[in-house]
Amino acid sequence: MIIKLDMNSSIPIYIQLRNQIVMGIGKGDLKLGEQLPTVRQMAEDIGINQMTVNKAYGILKFEGYIEIDRRHGAKIALIQKKTDNFKEKMEEELQLLMTEASLKGYDKSDILRICRTVINGVNISLA
Amino acid sequence: MIIKLDMNSSIPIYIQLRNQIVMGIGKGDLKLGEQLPTVRQMAEDIGINQMTVNKAYGILKFEGYIEIDRRHGAKIALIQKKTDNFKEKMEEELQLLMTEASLKGYDKSDILRICRTVINGVNISLA
Amino acid sequence: MIIKLDMNSSIPIYIQLRNQIVMGIGKGDLKLGEQLPTVRQMAEDIGINQMTVNKAYGILKFEGYIEIDRRHGAKIALIQKKTDNFKEKMEEELQLLMTEASLKGYDKSDILRICRTVINGVNISLA
Amino acid sequence: MIIKLDMNSSIPIYIQLRNQIVMGIGKGDLKLGEQLPTVRQMAEDIGINQMTVNKAYGILKFEGYIEIDRRHGAKIALIQKKTDNFKEKMEEELQLLMTEASLKGYDKSDILRICRTVINGVNISLA
DNA sequence: GTGGTCTAGACCACG
DNA sequence: GTGGTCTAGACCACC
């Protein structure tokens, strides 16, 4: 799988990496249960420091997206830990995004169409 | 209009302020053409540094959400400057959000319903 | 007796195993003098490495919870070796726990009640 | 306030620091609302790296024990964030501790007395 | 082999 | 001046 990082972005690298991995799951590039590269390997592959990868993996583990086993490294989790206030956060982010889109001149039906396309593109699959 | 800031958040205050203002437009709390409080006033009202408000206003102006008139201060812009890569950015953010939602166990139709509700809640109005 | 291990935990497996065995004694699942499975057997039963079980047994032996007889394998010790600084360690851990509980909003009497319940649940018995 | 760290312990320094701060609150050395030393200051004071302090503060923030404000650094939080499974975790730790104490030869009433003493020693106070 | 921790030193974003 | 991030390089605990 390909990890795209923008070194000039104000978004920290470990967050970008975290996002890329989550999106990798959504795109089907990473399958549930699949092994993730080791911390060292990933760091080398994308040319960043080991600790930065470590931090990203730590967050993903905390969020329930991956499981880290001392013996076998990290793999994509099968079951998601429930988060209490996820829906709230999602609605807030959506509202911001949709307001921006509306003000940029997008029609409500346009926006909805884009949402539908994106959702249908999400393709979570088993290893 | 009420500005909600979380001093404990990792999101910079000037970004939070920028977001709150954009969402204020979406909610109809701020109408197109409406006058915004002066930098000094806003800073005092919400208890933050003038520099911070200034930075938020600067971004909003750059993004085309407000116009700054030397004589009358800032007001919500009527016309939105088109941004080339907005759609791309929106799709990326949406994809991340929808993947997260899917993995949290939300059904595609659930997500779409939430999108629809949020979009319909957006209510941009003239002063 | 059932051993619960969390491969995802930050607590090392050999410590988890050690703790589970000690708690097994406290619950009465393991009786004083009772035979423990061999290292090989235990490792196979719970699906971990023999080295790991060996390490746990070694600690338990060092702490005086089990006795290892070359002929008969390991069994739960009848007499406990006194440890000088145990009380100190216990008080430290208790203090941390009680402070956490207080800050989480638990009343002192609540906490004491929980302590009493837990203590009364401890039921060490002979084989 | 005095921070005691054991550099030879297997418990990570950032966890030890986190524990010491929580206990500092329990002992009344740190009052609710009180300012904590800056990351740099604390690191220098106790002779460890800035990032290690940062990690400890990050955990304390996440757990709700402190608030970190970009403007004023860290201070002891007034309100504790509720944790779902705290009671469960506390009971488990208590059970282990009490079993150990029982096996070390402590009487149930002895243990209860120690608990009572420790609880009564907890003294959370306002700045 | 794996992840986890720690350090020294640097730079940046924020307010 | 504050916390936050990142790096290079080292060492450790675990399995």
Side-chain angles (χ1 to χ4, degrees):
Chain A
M1 103 163 270
I2 304 144
I3 303 283
K4 274 190 332 181
L5 298 180
D6 178 359
M7 292 309 184
N8 294 322
S9 166
S10 67
I11 302 169
I13 297 176
Y14 70 90
I15 299 280
Q16 290 186 54
L17 178 53
R18 177 263 179 205
N19 289 347
Q20 290 284 312
I21 290 173
V22 173
M23 292 214 291
I25 302 172
K27 282 182 194 151
D29 292 345
L30 291 169
K31 299 188 195 313
L32 301 186
E34 186 177 336
Q35 200 74 17
L36 225 46
T38 67
V39 172
R40 283 165 176 72
Q41 189 64 49
M42 176 70 89
E44 198 176 316
D45 285 359
I46 57 184
I48 63 173
N49 190 280
Q50 193 177 322
M51 283 202 59
T52 309
V53 177
N54 193 343
K55 198 160 181 179
Y57 278 24
I59 291 173
L60 287 163
K61 179 191 172 185
F62 170 74
E63 294 181 317
Y65 291 109
I66 67 175
E67 281 172 354
I68 299 178
D69 185 318
R70 260 196 202 71
R71 301 169 297 179
H72 313 110
K75 61 179 215 272
I76 309 297
L78 291 168
I79 307 156
Q80 257 291 295
K81 202 175 70 182
K82 291 251 172 76
T83 321
D84 350 338
N85 46 11
F86 171 74
K87 197 187 169 192
E88 203 179 312
K89 174 210 141 194
M90 179 172 71
E91 282 176 349
E92 191 132 328
E93 286 196 30
L94 273 178
Q95 191 178 30
L96 183 58
L97 220 48
M98 318 253 119
T99 302
E100 286 177 354
S102 290
L103 286 166
K104 294 277 179 207
Y106 288 86
D107 202 310
K108 291 196 178 185
S109 58
D110 289 345
I111 301 173
L112 207 57
R113 190 157 25 77
I114 294 173
C115 287
R116 203 176 294 119
T117 310
V118 172
I119 291 172
N120 287 329
V122 173
N123 177 27
I124 296 161
S125 49
L126 272 158
Chain B
M1 107 160 269
I2 305 146
I3 304 282
K4 273 192 332 181
L5 297 180
D6 179 0
M7 292 309 181
N8 233 336
S9 164
S10 67
I11 300 170
I13 296 173
Y14 74 92
I15 298 279
Q16 290 187 54
L17 178 54
R18 176 264 179 203
N19 289 347
Q20 290 283 311
I21 290 173
V22 172
M23 294 219 291
I25 303 172
K27 282 182 195 149
D29 293 344
L30 290 169
K31 299 189 194 314
L32 300 187
E34 186 177 337
Q35 199 76 16
L36 227 45
T38 64
V39 169
R40 181 188 304 257
Q41 188 63 48
M42 175 70 89
E44 203 172 306
D45 285 358
I46 55 184
I48 62 174
N49 197 301
Q50 283 191 31
M51 297 272 295
T52 310
V53 178
N54 200 33
K55 199 159 180 176
Y57 278 24
I59 289 175
L60 286 162
K61 182 191 170 191
F62 173 75
E63 294 180 316
Y65 291 108
I66 65 175
E67 282 167 355
I68 297 180
D69 182 320
R70 194 175 286 104
R71 294 165 301 175
H72 308 105
K75 61 181 218 275
I76 309 298
L78 290 167
I79 306 158
Q80 259 293 300
K81 197 175 69 183
K82 285 250 170 85
T83 320
D84 312 342
N85 48 8
F86 172 74
K87 197 187 169 193
E88 198 180 319
K89 175 207 141 194
M90 179 172 72
E91 282 177 347
E92 191 131 330
E93 286 196 28
L94 272 178
Q95 192 181 25
L96 184 57
L97 220 47
M98 317 261 114
T99 302
E100 286 176 353
S102 291
L103 286 166
K104 295 274 180 212
Y106 287 87
D107 204 308
K108 291 196 176 184
S109 56
D110 288 345
I111 302 173
L112 208 57
R113 187 155 27 77
I114 294 172
C115 287
R116 203 176 293 117
T117 310
V118 172
I119 291 172
N120 287 329
V122 174
N123 177 27
I124 297 160
S125 49
L126 271 157
Chain C
M1 107 160 269
I2 304 146
I3 304 282
K4 270 191 335 181
L5 297 179
D6 179 1
M7 292 309 181
N8 234 335
S9 165
S10 67
I11 301 169
I13 295 173
Y14 75 92
I15 299 279
Q16 289 187 54
L17 178 54
R18 176 265 179 202
N19 289 347
Q20 289 284 310
I21 290 173
V22 173
M23 294 220 291
I25 303 172
K27 282 182 195 151
D29 292 345
L30 291 169
K31 299 188 194 313
L32 301 185
E34 186 177 336
Q35 199 74 18
L36 227 46
T38 64
V39 170
R40 182 189 303 258
Q41 187 65 47
M42 176 70 89
E44 203 172 305
D45 285 359
I46 56 184
I48 62 174
N49 197 302
Q50 284 192 31
M51 297 272 295
T52 310
V53 178
N54 199 33
K55 198 161 182 176
Y57 278 23
I59 290 176
L60 287 162
K61 182 191 170 191
F62 173 75
E63 294 180 316
Y65 291 108
I66 65 175
E67 283 167 354
I68 298 181
D69 181 321
R70 195 175 286 103
R71 292 167 303 177
H72 308 107
K75 61 181 217 273
I76 310 296
L78 290 167
I79 306 157
Q80 258 294 298
K81 198 176 67 182
K82 286 250 170 83
T83 321
D84 312 344
N85 48 10
F86 172 74
K87 198 187 168 194
E88 198 179 317
K89 175 209 141 192
M90 179 172 71
E91 282 177 348
E92 191 129 330
E93 285 195 30
L94 272 178
Q95 192 180 27
L96 183 57
L97 221 46
M98 318 261 114
T99 302
E100 286 176 352
S102 290
L103 287 167
K104 296 272 179 213
Y106 287 87
D107 204 308
K108 291 197 180 186
S109 58
D110 289 344
I111 301 174
L112 208 56
R113 188 155 26 76
I114 294 173
C115 287
R116 204 176 293 116
T117 310
V118 172
I119 291 172
N120 287 330
V122 174
N123 176 29
I124 296 160
S125 49
L126 272 159
Chain D
M1 103 161 274
I2 305 145
I3 304 282
K4 274 189 332 181
L5 296 181
D6 177 359
M7 291 310 183
N8 294 321
S9 164
S10 68
I11 302 170
I13 296 176
Y14 70 90
I15 299 280
Q16 290 186 55
L17 178 54
R18 177 263 180 204
N19 289 347
Q20 290 283 311
I21 289 173
V22 172
M23 294 215 290
I25 302 172
K27 284 182 193 151
D29 292 345
L30 291 169
K31 299 186 195 316
L32 301 187
E34 187 177 336
Q35 201 74 18
L36 225 47
T38 66
V39 172
R40 281 166 177 73
Q41 190 65 49
M42 177 69 89
E44 198 175 318
D45 285 359
I46 56 184
I48 62 173
N49 190 278
Q50 192 176 323
M51 282 202 61
T52 310
V53 177
N54 193 344
K55 198 161 180 178
Y57 278 24
I59 291 173
L60 287 162
K61 179 190 172 186
F62 171 73
E63 295 181 317
Y65 290 108
I66 67 174
E67 282 171 356
I68 299 178
D69 185 317
R70 259 196 204 72
R71 301 169 297 180
H72 314 108
K75 62 179 216 271
I76 309 296
L78 292 167
I79 307 157
Q80 256 291 296
K81 200 174 70 181
K82 292 251 173 76
T83 321
D84 349 337
N85 46 10
F86 172 74
K87 200 187 168 193
E88 201 179 314
K89 173 210 145 193
M90 179 171 70
E91 282 177 348
E92 191 132 329
E93 286 195 30
L94 273 178
Q95 192 179 28
L96 183 58
L97 220 47
M98 317 254 121
T99 303
E100 286 176 355
S102 291
L103 287 166
K104 294 278 179 206
Y106 287 88
D107 203 309
K108 291 197 178 185
S109 58
D110 289 345
I111 301 174
L112 207 56
R113 189 158 26 75
I114 295 174
C115 286
R116 203 177 294 114
T117 311
V118 172
I119 291 172
N120 287 329
V122 173
N123 177 27
I124 296 161
S125 49
L126 271 158

